[in-house]
Amino acid sequence: MRIAPIVISLLAASSAYAVSPPKPTAQTIYLGGDIVTVNDSAPSVQALAIKNGRILALGSEADVMKLQDEETKIVDLHGKTLIPGFIDAHGHVFNTGIQALSANLLAEPDGSVDSISALQESLNAWASKPQNKQHGIILGFGYDDSQLKEGRHPTRQELDAVSADLPVIIIHQSGHLATLNSKALALAGIGPDSQDPEGGKIRREADGKTPNGVLEETAFFGSLLPMFAKLSPTENEAIFKAGMALYASFGYTTAQEGRASTSAVKTMYELAQKAKLPIDVAAYADIQIARDVIVPPYYASEYTNGFRVAGAKLNLDGSPQGKTAWLTEPYLVPPEGQEAGYKGYSSMSDEQAGKYIELAQSKGWQLLTHVNGDAAIDQLIKGVEASEEKHGKPDRGFVAIHAQTARKDQVEAFKRLGIFPAFFPMHTFYWGDWHSDSVLGKERAQNISPTGWARELGMIFTSHHDSPVALPDSMRVYYATVNRVSRTGRLIGPDQRVSSLEGLKSQTLWAATQYKEEQNKGSLEVGKLADLVILSANPLKVEPEKLADIRVEETIKEGVTVYRSDEQANNGGCIESTRCSAVATTAMVESGLMHHAH
């Protein structure tokens, strides 16, 4: 009666000796430097092995080297630091390509435009290059009236001085305003009789009728989009490639297109069908105008060759530095043409906002909502509460994008409602002085992007660059999140500072959690994707004020190098003071758009 169990046991025992499982071997092993895992259970290791695009092992050098065979590549870090790839919590990788291909109008430290004359010089230099003359338009990106000596926006007449025959369009660094010359205004059909569109404004001259060239919000978007609609598929692909290349040069292995149009989604999707993208790109389609692409095959939980539509984007207000964000208390200094008591304005009514929020929840879409002003945040909270009454509280993964002027009670509401805060602490560096002295006043400015309150409440958050509002500079994001020091050295909200480790998590593990991708990304753990970055120094060991000086030496996506700092070039899709990539150069050569954006 006991023969069968004995036989089975003997067979099992003999089989254990008959065939041994093959020893796993590593394709690449990294060692010889600091390896920061962003995994609290094993914060650092001596070596890391990868195979087939994933992390095979990590631990002591002796143990990991046991996975070596004659074909294993050994990478000596030479004292540099290996970390997880940066994940873009919010940005616009497609529009970043437009920034990379335009005249650079940024102020220090990313450019040199500090006056209207310097702005005109930069536009003239760009327009004089032979390869740019074919476009029939002069396009600049990144001017900031708060950084110009004149302390104001340029006028249409000052852009007419650059060219009266060609349309001249310069996009404000916020991405929410632009200035057009007379020719561009005429092409956009904007004149003295034009009415302000809902959610936007046409700024006027002293007569109260004639446009002065500055367009806010929907007035700007409505004038620019038709012009870009004329770009060919090849040109659109070149723009996208340039954006991805710039992202990769700053260590990003996952990028976001945070407000995608239908045409942008189709361009990105079609490029991914031709070949695997160098980095992952998650797109959030504009819920007002691009719902037609929040469907398969575009909309998916998994990437196809590096691309997916991950959800929807809703926009409820504007920009605080551009003074179009919707506040509950007045701006300290109202913008030109506005009276004391001006609080900005909404993009839509509560009813409209609620309709879109409920639509996203009913469809199961992850919704990213742009809310800069606290009045806009109130509108979001109200809409989510109303939707929750109808649909319950599923794991919707809604994200409040920027939430810069969030009050503490609103951060508490985020926790109660399960709204993930994606903050924008880079503002403390670029516009900390402007917010203190002109936008919000010192008291409100102290709590802009309140990461400290989130941590106090036991919440995680992410930190982003909103490129092309700022360059997709991961280390500048990191520096601002930890230090909160303005361009002039002013400390903006010391109580809202976080540790260097928390700053790193906000661009890696916590960002992966925001995307619901933490099982594959965000930390160095066995089985996760081999998305890696090599830095010139360990951010957890340097003084916090030195974080912005750390360089990205190499970016590795699923085991494949997509950027290396020693492959620098002085042409093609690069903005002055950034690293270049052959990917962008190739894209622009193919489309005839190659130029140096200085």
Side-chain angles (χ1 to χ4, degrees):
M1 297 293 293
R2 298 182 58 82
I3 293 176
I6 293 172
V7 171
I8 292 171
S9 178
L10 288 172
L11 288 173
S14 64
S15 67
Y17 293 98
V19 180
S20 297
K23 185 186 81 170
T25 56
Q27 291 174 323
T28 307
I29 293 175
Y30 293 88
L31 45 75
D34 288 353
I35 300 178
V36 178
T37 68
V38 196
N39 174 12
D40 291 341
S41 64
S44 63
V45 295
Q46 292 180 327
L48 179 144
I50 64 175
K51 184 174 185 176
N52 297 330
R54 291 188 178 268
I55 298 172
L56 176 65
L58 62 173
S60 70
E61 182 175 326
D63 286 342
V64 174
M65 285 299 289
K66 293 176 183 177
L67 303 176
Q68 177 188 17
D69 67 9
E70 63 276 6
E71 296 183 357
T72 301
K73 178 183 178 181
I74 307 298
V75 177
D76 188 339
L77 295 169
H78 295 292
K80 296 174 184 176
T81 298
L82 187 72
I83 67 168
F86 288 115
I87 297 172
D88 177 22
H90 182 65
H92 305 270
V93 65
F94 189 88
N95 291 339
T96 295
I98 297 173
Q99 179 191 49
L101 300 173
S102 305
N104 180 9
L105 305 183
L106 295 166
E108 293 288 349
D110 305 315
S112 58
V113 173
D114 61 359
S115 66
I116 290 173
S117 61
L119 180 148
Q120 291 169 323
E121 289 172 9
S122 182
L123 291 171
N124 281 321
W126 183 89
S128 68
K129 295 181 182 296
Q131 62 266 35
N132 295 332
K133 292 182 178 179
Q134 62 181 304
H135 305 312
I137 186 173
I138 299 174
L139 182 66
F141 195 102
Y143 86 92
D144 183 357
D145 54 308
S146 76
Q147 299 301 311
L148 299 179
K149 292 176 181 176
E150 294 82 357
R152 61 172 175 82
H153 294 265
T155 65
R156 63 180 175 86
Q157 291 89 347
E158 287 164 333
L159 296 188
D160 288 345
V162 174
S163 177
D165 301 321
L166 294 176
V168 180
I169 300 174
I170 60 171
I171 302 173
H172 190 263
Q173 191 174 359
S174 68
H176 285 258
L177 304 92
T179 304
L180 281 61
N181 73 341
S182 299
K183 182 71 172 181
L185 287 169
L187 289 174
I190 296 175
D193 296 328
S194 299
Q195 300 296 311
D196 290 348
E198 181 181 8
K201 292 187 184 297
I202 301 168
R203 293 194 184 180
R204 315 281 176 166
E205 295 182 353
D207 63 7
K209 294 189 65 177
T210 306
N212 68 5
V214 179
L215 305 179
E216 299 179 3
E217 302 297 338
T218 55
F220 154 48
F221 303 142
S223 67
L224 192 64
L225 288 177
M227 297 183 190
F228 281 103
K230 298 177 182 178
L231 292 174
S232 70
T234 302
E235 289 171 327
N236 276 315
E237 286 188 2
I239 288 170
F240 182 35
K241 288 179 180 179
M244 288 189 291
L246 192 56
Y247 265 72
S249 76
F250 287 108
Y252 285 96
T253 52
T254 299
Q256 182 183 113
E257 176 42 59
R259 192 180 182 183
S261 65
T262 294
S263 62
V265 165
K266 290 183 176 179
T267 292
M268 294 184 283
Y269 176 81
E270 289 164 7
L271 186 61
Q273 297 309 296
K274 297 176 184 177
K276 183 174 174 60
L277 301 180
I279 61 177
D280 283 345
V281 174
Y284 289 82
D286 190 314
I287 198 168
Q288 292 181 265
I289 63 170
R291 293 193 297 276
D292 57 326
V293 288
I294 317 179
V295 294
Y298 312 108
Y299 177 59
S301 59
E302 301 291 334
Y303 293 90
T304 299
N305 273 354
F307 178 76
R308 71 183 180 108
V309 170
K313 174 68 179 295
L314 176 64
N315 195 83
L316 295 185
D317 75 337
S319 154
Q321 73 270 37
K323 299 187 178 180
T324 60
W326 186 25
L327 304 173
T328 58
E329 298 295 329
Y331 282 88
L332 184 64
V333 179
E336 181 183 356
Q338 298 292 341
E339 298 179 352
Y342 167 81
K343 300 178 183 179
Y345 49 91
S346 63
S347 296
M348 63 186 68
S349 67
D350 288 355
E351 183 181 7
Q352 290 172 309
K355 179 185 70 173
Y356 290 122
I357 291 166
E358 184 180 348
L359 173 65
Q361 186 155 336
S362 67
K363 294 285 189 179
W365 297 337
Q366 184 179 38
L367 181 67
L368 275 55
T369 304
H370 170 113
V371 281
N372 264 314
D374 62 332
I377 297 170
D378 281 338
Q379 189 177 59
L380 169 64
I381 290 170
K382 185 185 302 182
V384 172
E385 288 174 335
S387 181
E388 189 172 290
E389 288 181 6
K390 292 184 179 181
H391 300 283
K393 188 180 180 180
D395 183 17
R396 54 188 161 236
F398 283 6
V399 182
I401 296 294
H402 310 321
Q404 293 204 67
T405 60
R407 307 182 306 267
K408 191 168 186 180
D409 65 287
Q410 292 176 323
V411 181
E412 292 168 346
F414 290 163
K415 182 175 182 179
R416 171 171 53 84
L417 295 167
I419 298 173
F420 195 109
F423 291 124
F424 197 0
M426 270 183 111
H427 264 248
T428 60
F429 174 75
Y430 283 105
W431 297 285
D433 302 306
W434 181 242
H435 287 313
S436 297
D437 300 337
S438 185
V439 179
L440 299 171
K442 183 177 180 180
E443 183 177 349
R444 279 187 292 172
Q446 294 297 298
N447 295 318
I448 197 164
S449 288
T451 53
W453 286 342
R455 296 305 292 148
E456 182 182 321
L457 292 167
M459 301 169 64
I460 64 173
F461 66 90
T462 54
S463 186
H464 59 261
H465 45 68
D466 199 22
S467 180
V469 171
L471 290 174
D473 187 339
S474 54
M475 299 314 297
R476 178 65 66 187
V477 175
Y478 198 164
Y479 169 88
T481 305
V482 172
N483 292 286
R484 297 179 64 97
V485 174
S486 74
R487 297 187 210 230
T488 62
R490 188 186 304 186
L491 182 58
I492 308 295
D495 294 340
Q496 300 292 357
R497 291 178 294 182
V498 298
S499 70
S500 291
L501 179 58
E502 289 169 321
L504 181 58
K505 286 181 177 180
S506 75
Q507 291 192 86
T508 54
L509 184 58
W510 294 348
T513 302
Q514 177 186 305
Y515 279 98
K516 300 182 181 296
E517 296 182 23
E518 66 272 23
Q519 296 303 313
N520 280 312
K521 299 177 180 178
S523 60
L524 304 182
E525 300 181 58
V526 172
K528 289 193 174 186
L529 293 174
D531 290 358
L532 315 170
V533 175
I534 298 175
L535 300 176
S536 61
N538 187 337
L540 302 184
K541 290 183 177 179
V542 304
E543 293 298 319
E545 58 268 23
K546 300 292 185 183
L547 285 171
D549 298 330
I550 295 176
R551 301 183 311 279
V552 171
E553 301 286 350
E554 188 170 346
T555 306
I556 301 147
K557 174 62 181 161
E558 295 176 34
V560 177
T561 296
V562 293
Y563 167 78
R564 188 178 291 123
S565 63
D566 59 11
E567 293 176 348
Q568 296 184 52
N570 289 321
N571 59 359
C574 297
I575 295 177
E576 196 168 297
S577 85
T578 69
R579 281 82 68 196
C580 303
S581 168
V583 178
T585 306
T586 301
M588 285 170 283
V589 168
E590 289 173 350
S591 69
L593 289 175
M594 189 177 80
H595 63 271
H596 192 26
H598 282 179

